[in-house]
Amino acid sequence: MLHTHERFVTSGPLRIWTERAGAPGQPAVLMVMGSAAQGVSCPDALVSRLVERGVQVIRFDHRDTGRSSLVDFDEHPYTIADLARDCLAVLDGHELDAAHVAGTSMGGMIAQWLGVHAPDRVRSLTVMSSSPMGHDPRPVWARARAGEPADPDDLPPPSPAFLAQVAAGLPPGVESDVALFRVFNGPVRPFDEPAARAMLELALSRATDPAAAANHHRAVWMDAPGLLAPLSSITAPTSIVHGDQDPVYPLAHGEALAAAIPGAELHVVPGMGHVMTSPGLPEEVADLIRL
């Protein structure tokens, strides 16, 4: 059984919920989850495998998710850079000078920002199921929806199944989320629906305001200082973990990341989609996180 300790830390005026697993004296891995995702979306099985590898693991709720503070986005808009500063506040709150940083999807973009702008706080980087920070896919998605030809310089758009799911505009709730996670999972590996449903129900039960997480979709495209900084300046040892069935960021996004970051190792996970909702996949990904 996974033994954890919860605590709140402060990031400016905000309170950020955090959870630590493993011995405090061990090197730390900071798990940074994706857009609208709470810390509990990081599977227990992944955390347990990392603890077995001899590290402590810190999960946390981004602002506007779970038990962390809510923000009036219209009055106080925030950016990827602000979300990255929340990560630094989590490290400060746990009295950690530096950590291995592992981010998935939007969390992978936050991890890149930390690698560029806070290199002294980053022991290593693992960027999972993500895309180069500062890359705006919205024009590409619009062309794909309209059936227009792609620009040769474009990174590829999401899969038709994902675009159709987004276009369907299903009402919010666990059933809609389960349907979305089925698409996220991809068609190759089995989808562990009971586990996904349990996680989504837990997330709904602990969210102060479930609708607030939609602010992340606005934050991702806000201009942020340093978001277009070259990834070639990253000096931390870096691994890119990407599924060959990712319906949101097809494999070319991971390949572009690996090409942009000096010395980065690309690990292509056969059959993996955009989430870790297939039996055994969390442990497989945990073994690829750079320590």
Side-chain angles (χ1 to χ4, degrees), residues 11-236:
S11 180
L14 305 181
R15 277 165 44 94
I16 304 294
W17 176 87
T18 74
E19 179 191 76
R20 179 181 58 77
Q26 301 282 39
V29 177
L30 181 68
M31 299 299 306
V32 188
M33 305 315 292
S35 177
Q38 301 178 22
V40 297
S41 68
C42 178
D44 286 353
L46 181 146
V47 176
S48 295
R49 179 63 69 94
L50 284 173
V51 170
E52 290 172 2
R53 292 182 64 191
V55 296
Q56 58 173 312
V57 180
I58 298 174
R59 297 183 280 193
F60 69 98
D61 290 341
H62 293 292
R63 61 175 71 187
D64 275 335
T65 72
R67 298 178 61 195
S68 288
S69 293
L70 303 180
V71 177
D72 183 332
F73 195 90
D74 293 323
E75 289 291 325
H76 303 285
Y78 55 85
T79 67
I80 287 282
D82 295 309
L83 293 168
R85 282 188 275 272
D86 289 345
C87 293
L88 297 177
V90 171
L91 296 184
D92 292 341
H94 285 268
E95 300 182 339
L96 293 167
D97 292 333
H100 302 283
V101 178
T104 183
S105 196
M106 181 189 78
M109 299 175 193
I110 295 170
Q112 294 167 56
W113 192 97
L114 292 169
V116 170
H117 298 289
D120 57 319
R121 309 300 300 272
V122 179
R123 290 175 179 263
S124 72
L125 277 180
T126 303
V127 182
M128 303 177 287
S129 307
S130 194
S131 187
M133 72 174 186
H135 165 69
D136 186 349
R138 287 174 296 177
V140 181
W141 291 25
R143 285 194 289 273
R145 290 193 193 98
E148 297 174 2
D151 185 298
D153 295 328
D154 285 345
L155 288 171
S159 72
F162 175 72
L163 291 175
Q165 187 73 21
V166 172
L170 297 174
V174 170
E175 293 307 320
S176 295
D177 289 343
V178 169
L180 177 61
F181 268 66
R182 187 182 298 279
V183 175
F184 279 158
N185 185 78
V188 174
R189 294 207 183 199
F191 176 51
D192 189 345
E193 180 173 330
R197 183 181 298 276
M199 182 276 290
L200 292 165
E201 289 176 345
L202 173 62
L204 182 62
S205 73
R206 64 193 298 281
T208 304
D209 178 5
N215 287 334
H216 289 180
H217 302 307
R218 303 168 68 186
V220 168
W221 312 125
M222 293 283 291
D223 289 336
L227 199 58
L228 296 177
L231 298 179
S232 59
S233 66
I234 291 176
T235 56

Side-chain angles (χ1 to χ4, degrees), residues 236-285:
T238 301
S239 290
I240 310 300
V241 178
H242 215 98
D244 64 6
Q245 299 294 317
D246 193 319
V248 182
Y249 295 122
L251 179 57
H253 291 252
E255 293 171 337
L257 272 170
I261 300 173
E265 296 181 359
L266 174 63
H267 300 280
V268 179
V269 183
M272 177 179 166
H274 193 66
V275 291
M276 292 173 277
T277 48
S278 188
L281 186 56
E283 294 91 340
E284 187 175 340
V285 170

